[in-house]
Amino acid sequence: MTARLPLTPPTEGRLRLIGGVLIDGTGSAPIVDAEIEIDGDRIVWAGPRRGDGDADPDVVTVDLQGATVLPGFFDTHVHLALSLEADPRVVMAEFPSERVLGAATTIRQTLMAGITTARDLAGLDAGYRSAIAAGTILGPRLHLALQALSPTGGHTDFHLPNGTPVQPAAGPEISPIIDSDDDVRRTVRQLVRAEADVIKVCTTGGVSSPSDTPHDLGVPERHVRMIVEETARRQGQPVAAHAQGAEGIKEAIRGGVASIEHGYEIDDEGIDLMLERGTTLVPTLSSALRVPDPARVPGYLYEKKVRWSKIAREHVAKAIQAGVPVALGTDSGVCPHGRNLTELGHMVDLGLSPMAAIQAGTINAARLLRLEEHLGTIEAGKLADLVITDIDPLADIHGLADPVAIDAIVQGGRVVKDTQGRFPSLPAVTALG
Ligand SMILES: [Zn+2]
């Protein structure tokens, strides 16, 4: 299939980055004194430095001595229109313009944290995807679920017990409910018509929802399978399951989803099923392990977070150590935005090597989004998405959590961040930085 790949406008001319340490995302050992050449939006060379070459006036050479170059990172689970910890009274008082501008700011912060591609798993409408692709605002290349599917009374059924619909803060509209076979088919077809890149389905309740728990079952395996069959009739859009309790996780895997989102209580049987089917785990540890300030969140949420962060720490560590494929996803929106690479450190704390964590954030995530032909590694032929940092990520993976540690970002050949002024001959940088 051809996955949707919005492209930022390519830069004119060629860029040659020399002298840095290259971690290319393939899992190979770092290359010291590397060279990366970019022509327009694509990489044309990535490897050891080829000597000083002729002084071609059309090539801008940038010295990256002392820095490390990594592939642009993915966050495969964000909610860029959501801020769960924001004061609901403030959110309710916002004008539509404030919501849009607030989301645009969040989107830009996410890019500046090193995320050049993000997957929004409900809440963000397709206009943001177009605006970024057109260069109207700066942000990660976006893949969108648009909405999340759950049954009546399930994780994303935003109705009060008395039947009153509740508009979730800054969300585009209330998610559709799927109870019958017809609901399933119609809803998936409508989402495909609306150009969703991924279908999000809730097979369990959740931590953040007030009226259910991760042990509640949501969309059944039979309906998950039907959703997968529907997308297979179209472009094979991946299906992502919000699944937290052990049984709902297994229903989702057996139903054929591409990824288990959260997976907090995954058991041995679930781990074996994932290994057998190559299902990807997106453990959203940035949210799972974060216990919020009890003064700022409702009592039910604080208690559930304490309980489920402990469960997630134990079970996700087992899955990681068993070798289940992992992709980086934070659930930002449930946790604060703009510190997405905190997730790398969490994954290393639970058993991944720093190199494997980098791959979870790059090539594994690119595969999950079916963009691995174009993104996920720094290799000739791929889009030039690069993150440049002064810290050594293999020695200090936690250091990447701070957006200040991300010195420069190239996205589709365009320099979108350059705090050290490494790209002096590109005047556009000042305006964009
Ligand atoms: Zn989420």
Side-chain angles (χ1 to χ4, degrees):
M1 69 167 275
T2 350
R4 186 185 310 283
L5 190 76
L7 300 179
T8 47
T11 312
E12 292 294 317
R14 274 146 60 202
L15 259 180
R16 189 168 155 259
L17 314 180
I18 54 165
V21 176
L22 171 62
I23 296 178
D24 65 11
T26 65
S28 319
I31 297 172
V32 181
D33 196 17
E35 175 174 341
I36 300 154
E37 191 178 326
I38 302 165
D39 188 355
D41 62 352
R42 297 268 166 183
I43 298 162
V44 294
W45 170 262
R49 189 161 162 184
R50 295 174 293 182
D52 288 328
D54 300 322
D56 186 334
D58 293 336
V59 181
V60 176
T61 299
V62 177
D63 187 358
L64 292 186
Q65 225 165 12
T68 298
V69 188
L70 297 151
F73 283 92
F74 288 63
D75 189 331
T76 69
H77 191 137
V78 291
H79 300 282
L80 293 164
L82 195 78
S83 286
L84 207 68
E85 291 176 23
D87 183 341
R89 287 162 303 183
V90 173
V91 174
M92 272 169 65
E94 281 178 345
F95 287 90
S97 51
E98 290 176 291
R99 288 191 181 176
V100 171
L101 293 169
T105 303
T106 299
I107 286 168
R108 184 196 176 95
Q109 280 172 350
T110 304
L111 174 65
M112 295 306 153
I115 305 299
T116 57
T117 307
R119 184 165 81 156
D120 191 279
L121 287 185
L124 207 64
D125 74 51
Y128 294 96
R129 182 177 61 196
S130 316
I132 291 165
T136 311
I137 58 168
L138 281 183
R141 212 179 262 103
L142 288 178
H143 272 200
L144 304 176
L146 304 172
Q147 294 176 318
L149 311 184
S150 82
T152 299
H155 182 56
T156 53
D157 177 355
F158 296 106
H159 286 82
L160 296 177
N162 69 3
T164 306
V166 180
Q167 174 68 46
E173 60 183 281
I174 289 175
S175 281
I177 297 299
I178 51 166
D179 287 321
S180 69
D181 292 6
D182 284 350
D183 292 343
V184 173
R185 289 195 198 91
R186 188 186 320 105
T187 305
V188 173
R189 289 170 190 179
Q190 283 169 345
L191 284 169
V192 169
R193 181 179 66 191
E195 300 187 330
D197 303 289
V198 49
I199 306 295
K200 161 102 173 271
V201 56
C202 303
T203 64
T204 70
V207 175
S208 59
S209 37
S211 57
D212 61 18
T213 78
H215 284 138
D216 288 20
L217 292 173
V219 172
E221 181 181 332
R222 196 172 68 79
H223 279 170
V224 174
R225 188 168 294 118
M226 198 178 285
I227 294 167
V228 173
E229 282 166 9
E230 272 300 321
T231 61
R233 292 162 61 86
R234 304 303 298 267
Q235 290 103 54
Q237 289 86 345
V239 178
H242 161 101
Q244 299 183 339
E247 292 313 311
I249 291 170
K250 287 184 278 195
E251 288 209 35
I253 305 166
R254 291 196 189 99
V257 300
S259 62
I260 294 295
E261 308 292 321
H262 318 303
Y264 299 157
E265 202 193 27
I266 187 160
D267 59 12
D268 290 344
E269 193 187 1
I271 290 171
D272 288 344
L273 278 171
M274 289 188 84
L275 288 169
E276 199 179 297
R277 291 166 173 254
T279 317
T280 298
L281 177 64
V282 179
T284 64
L285 298 169
S286 303
S287 292
L289 304 183
R290 180 183 164 82
V291 175
D293 179 351
R296 297 192 61 182
V297 296
Y300 80 85
L301 182 56
Y302 178 73
E303 283 161 30
K304 281 165 97 181
K305 288 292 280 186
V306 170
R307 173 155 180 234
W308 281 87
S309 64
K310 186 167 174 287
I311 292 172
R313 191 183 295 276
E314 285 168 20
H315 292 248
V316 169
K318 275 186 89 177
I320 283 179
Q321 285 157 25
V324 166
V326 178
L328 189 155
T330 56
D331 212 359
S332 291
V334 170
C335 65
H337 292 284
R339 293 183 65 88
N340 309 63
L341 294 185
T342 305
E343 189 74 14
L344 294 169
H346 287 312
M347 292 191 285
V348 169
D349 290 344
L350 295 196
L352 278 190
S353 70
M355 188 63 98
I358 289 167
Q359 290 191 284
T362 56
I363 186 62
N364 295 8
R367 278 194 202 109
L368 178 60
L369 273 61
R370 306 189 179 166
L371 296 174
E372 73 272 23
E373 204 187 307
H374 303 284
L375 291 163
T377 60
I378 302 175
E379 291 178 285
K382 289 205 176 179
L383 284 168
D385 274 23
L386 312 174
V387 161
I388 296 158
T389 176
D390 270 336
I391 69 163
D392 173 0
L394 298 182
D396 178 21
I397 195 81
H398 291 87
L400 288 177
D402 186 352
V404 172
I406 310 298
D407 297 336
I409 300 172
V410 179
Q411 186 191 34
R414 192 164 66 140
V415 181
V416 292
K417 181 178 186 182
D418 179 25
T419 58
Q420 310 287 318
R422 283 201 173 94
F423 297 81
S425 37
L426 296 176
V429 170
T430 340
L432 293 168

